[in-house]
């Protein structure tokens, strides 16, 4: 890239003082995006999945090392069967289409959540994508798919009990090491699109001291400029962790 391109980029996106190491994204508003255009909800999900490519690229460009993307919650099974089926198909198609390009771009794909209720072919496809990209190091992209924060903690407790770990050995670090996100730092910034201001069971443990950012923009319209705005807001937040910053 030439110097003038670098210059143009710095003007559009001045360097940020502080970057989050781990950004969670609650990709909400696909349905409303579609309704606004008179389209079926699944068209919104398709547009939402396509937007992922753009957001992942922007995350790499801004230097965010880890993102966790909330794609399907453990509660989303409550939606009409047709929407659930459609969503699963869209995610499967997108994974098939995009994994090669993501791999080329150095993205390490991971999955957090429970794969057991998924069909064998989808399970295998996810596992193959994780395996293919496991040594990539430009960006870790955790896909939260059939994920629920409470369910994750229940799973962790079960595994701790199964391992016969005694009560006095239970620490925060031990619980952390039994979560789906073991080995990753806590989430620093949680972005939610579509104007909602709730956690909807996302990264409950890891988000204990996350900064929250809500934007009215629907997920399919959440672009590089919008990500920059969120990162800029984050860089201005005063994180106190219960103490005082003097
Ligand atoms: C987010 O969009 C995607 C998923 C939850 C799978 P929604 O489908 O929740 O869109 P709205 O909230 O109905 O607009
Ligand atoms: C949260 O969105 C889950 C995902 C974005 C995958 P929802 O649309 O399911 O959340 P609620 O139902 O509005 O809380
Ligand atoms: Mg929603």
């Amino acid at each position: 890239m030439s110097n003038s391109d670098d210059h143009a980029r710095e003007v559009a996106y001045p360097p940020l003082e502080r970057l989050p190491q781990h950004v969670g994204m609650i990709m909400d508003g696909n349905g409303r995006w579609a309704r606004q255009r008179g389209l079926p909800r699944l068209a919104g999900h398709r547009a939402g999945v396509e937007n992922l490519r753009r957001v992942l690229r922007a995350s790499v460009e801004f230097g965010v090392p880890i993102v966790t993307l909330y794609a399907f919650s453990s509660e989303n099974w409550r939606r009409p069967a047709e929407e659930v089926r459609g969503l699963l198909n869209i995610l499967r198609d997108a994974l098939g289409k995009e994994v090669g390009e993501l791999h080329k771009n150095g993205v390490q794909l991971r999955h957090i959540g429970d794969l057991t209720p998924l069909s064998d072919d989808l399970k295998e496809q996810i596992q193959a994508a994780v395996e293919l990209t496991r040594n990539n190091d430009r960006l870790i992209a955790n896909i939260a798919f059939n994920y629920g924060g409470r369910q994750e903690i229940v799973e962790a407790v079960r595994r701790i009990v199964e391992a016969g770990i005694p009560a006095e050995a239970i620490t925060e670090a031990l619980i952390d090491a039994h979560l789906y996100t073991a080995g990753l730092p806590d989430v620093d910034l949680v972005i939610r699109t579509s104007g909602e201001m709730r956690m909807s069971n996302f990264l409950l443990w890891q988000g204990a001291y996350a900064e929250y950012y809500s934007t009215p923009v629907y997920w399919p319209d959440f672009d590089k400029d919008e990500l920059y705005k969120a990162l800029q807001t984050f860089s201005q937040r005063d994180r106190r962790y219960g103490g005082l910053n003097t």
Side-chain angles (χ1 to χ4, degrees):
M1 186 184 286
S2 73
N3 285 339
S4 66
D5 284 349
D6 276 347
H7 178 70
R9 194 168 61 190
E10 291 210 353
V11 171
Y13 304 108
L16 296 164
E17 214 168 284
R18 200 155 38 92
L19 265 185
Q21 291 303 292
H22 183 174
V23 179
M25 303 192 200
I26 305 180
M27 311 186 289
D28 201 9
N30 295 346
R32 281 164 281 172
W33 180 93
R35 195 175 54 205
Q36 212 177 39
R37 287 164 176 72
L39 297 170
R41 289 181 58 83
L42 285 180
H45 293 313
R46 236 171 267 124
V49 166
E50 272 177 24
N51 190 43
L52 266 173
R53 198 187 316 143
R54 183 161 72 163
V55 171
L56 289 175
R57 198 183 312 127
S59 301
V60 170
E61 285 178 19
F62 291 136
V64 173
I66 306 166
V67 296
T68 296
L69 303 155
Y70 207 6
F72 191 87
S73 78
S74 49
E75 288 71 47
N76 285 146
W77 298 103
R78 293 178 186 155
R79 297 189 178 196
E82 196 191 337
E83 176 163 347
V84 170
R85 210 172 26 242
L87 240 169
L88 295 183
N89 283 336
I90 289 166
L91 287 162
R92 189 182 43 214
D93 290 352
L95 192 61
K97 265 205 324 242
E98 301 292 336
V99 72
E101 192 65 20
L102 291 170
H103 182 44
K104 257 208 327 243
N105 290 325
V107 176
Q108 183 187 131
L109 283 173
R110 297 190 185 190
H111 169 259
I112 63 170
D114 180 13
L115 289 181
T116 40
L118 304 179
S119 65
D120 285 344
D121 63 326
L122 184 51
K123 244 185 275 190
E124 281 161 22
Q125 201 182 353
I126 292 170
Q127 282 157 350
V130 169
E131 191 51 44
L132 175 73
T133 62
R134 66 181 310 136
N135 295 317
N136 294 339
D137 58 7
R138 280 191 85 189
L139 174 74
I140 293 179
N142 272 320
I143 312 297
F145 188 78
N146 193 25
Y147 172 87
R150 287 190 169 188
Q151 167 224 301
E152 176 181 38
I153 294 168
V154 168
E155 263 311 301
V157 172
R158 278 198 189 138
R159 281 189 284 123
I160 289 168
V161 171
E162 270 165 17
I165 295 169
E168 60 276 16
I170 310 278
T171 59
E172 290 191 7
L174 183 99
I175 293 178
D176 218 76
H178 285 81
L179 299 175
Y180 298 131
T181 51
L184 297 179
D186 279 351
V187 64
D188 298 300
L189 168 66
V190 174
I191 297 171
R192 184 160 188 157
T193 56
S194 86
E196 308 297 351
M197 299 196 194
R198 54 177 169 265
M199 291 153 78
S200 301
N201 208 7
F202 186 53
L203 299 180
L204 297 182
W205 174 280
Q206 302 89 334
Y209 266 103
E211 296 293 326
Y212 282 82
Y213 175 87
S214 172
T215 168
V217 171
Y218 295 143
W219 174 256
D221 291 330
F222 186 83
D223 60 9
K224 185 173 178 177
D225 282 4
E226 293 299 329
L227 177 62
Y228 184 78
K229 275 193 241 169
L231 296 175
Q232 198 173 33
T233 302
F234 173 84
S235 80
Q236 289 156 3
R237 295 272 177 93
D238 183 18
R239 303 184 82 189
R240 289 186 291 273
Y241 300 97
L244 298 174
N245 289 342
T246 46

